[in-house]
Amino acid sequence: MTDALGWRRKFGVIAPSTNTIVEPDFYRMAVPGVTAHFSRIHIRDQNMDGDAGMERLLEQIRAEIGAACERVMTCEPDYMVMGMSAETFWGGVEGNRAFVRQVEGITGLAVATGAEACERALRLFGARRIGVVTPYQPVGDANVRAFFTEIGFEVGEIVGLRCPTAVSIAHVGEDRLRDALRGLAATGVDAIVQCGTNLSMVRLADEAERWLGLPVVAINAATWWMALRDNGVEDRVPGAGRLLREF
């Protein structure tokens, strides 16, 4: 039997309980016959002020992710999508691979991660030197830099917004993000990547690509694009950047 609404694919999505952006982002990029079903990682202490705070946040995610995966499996999804990004960059390339192996081992399903989605997008655009904007603390930015450097990209400036709590990431406004994008574009990059799934960037990235003349990879759009394309869903989605509009 085929699901009445998810007749093409059902995606199981894992996201932190503090995240208010990734779920509506995925819904607004939805295509007919594909549904997203969220399971929340319980974040009991959302303080991420400083490197130690961010490390504690990641420790909570690691402790809870297994249960979150098991819960979403009860709706019998076809594929897994990570609606969080920091953990997919942590530890560089091998850290991402270990994370994917963990989720695949629990669920038996293939998985889209923000790190791999951004890599695919940058290679598609032929980028070599990139700029990055994140909501992270310095330790998070260092892991992002390590991941992209290990896979062969030159990482220029990283604008780390150093959000003090997990929820406050969603409070960052467009003016601040627009300034960050313009500053990164002025450093002579081939593309800009935005990390942090609770940072609202999909619509702004779509607009910024036009006035900057550069690919701007919003991580929620890239992850959704990877999930769709991995499952043979080729629908184009307007208003979410070049990836989903053209590829």
Side-chain angles (χ1 to χ4, degrees):
M1 298 295 292
T2 303
D3 192 272
L5 295 181
W7 48 270
R8 296 165 85 183
R9 285 292 187 274
K10 291 187 294 186
F11 294 159
V13 185
I14 307 300
S17 58
T18 50
N19 193 309
T20 60
I21 299 298
V22 67
E23 190 167 7
D25 268 359
F26 281 2
Y27 290 158
R28 70 182 286 268
M29 295 184 288
V31 300
V34 178
T35 52
H37 308 280
F38 276 71
S39 183
R40 295 288 181 156
I41 299 168
H42 190 182
I43 303 299
R44 293 172 172 82
D45 176 8
Q46 63 157 306
N47 174 37
M48 53 178 279
D49 192 12
D51 286 349
M54 188 164 188
E55 291 276 13
R56 285 193 300 272
L57 188 72
L58 270 292
E59 288 170 4
Q60 294 176 76
I61 287 173
R62 291 166 194 146
E64 294 281 343
I65 192 167
C69 288
E70 290 171 358
R71 279 193 293 272
V72 81
M73 286 302 294
T74 62
C75 78
E76 301 180 1
D78 304 296
Y79 184 86
M80 294 296 294
V81 182
M82 291 300 104
M84 58 181 182
S85 64
E87 182 69 351
T88 74
F89 291 103
W90 222 260
V93 171
E94 184 49 42
N96 179 70
R97 289 173 181 165
F99 177 78
V100 169
R101 287 194 299 267
Q102 178 190 11
V103 175
E104 289 178 344
I106 295 168
T107 66
L109 299 175
V111 54
T113 71
E116 184 176 352
C118 289
E119 176 186 0
R120 291 188 190 185
L122 292 170
R123 297 202 189 286
L124 186 64
F125 290 131
R128 295 178 62 85
R129 176 178 167 82
I130 65 171
V132 184
V133 58
T134 84
Y136 304 149
Q137 300 296 331
V139 65
D141 294 343
N143 278 274
V144 169
R145 182 180 293 276
F147 175 83
F148 284 119
T149 300
E150 287 175 23
I151 59 175
F153 295 98
E154 180 187 350
V155 182
E157 184 178 351
I158 296 181
V159 177
L161 301 176
R162 303 188 183 188
C163 295
T165 68
V167 169
S168 70
I169 297 170
H171 302 167
V172 177
E174 285 195 358
D175 287 348
R176 192 174 181 191
L177 292 172
R178 195 178 294 112
D179 289 343
L181 293 176
R182 286 182 169 138
L184 289 169
T187 64
V189 295
D190 303 316
I192 297 171
V193 176
Q194 170 260 319
C195 302
T197 62
N198 204 26
L199 198 59
S200 182
M201 192 73 168
V202 171
R203 187 183 66 81
L204 179 60
D206 179 63
E207 294 177 2
E209 287 183 321
R210 296 178 175 88
W211 38 262
L212 293 178
L214 291 171
V216 180
V217 181
I219 201 159
N220 288 348
T223 307
W224 187 250
W225 167 80
M226 176 179 172
L228 292 176
R229 302 304 183 251
D230 272 5
N231 285 275
V233 179
E234 300 295 331
D235 299 47
R236 303 300 194 255
V237 179
R242 284 185 62 197
L243 271 179
L244 281 159
R245 187 174 63 249
E246 299 180 11
F247 300 98

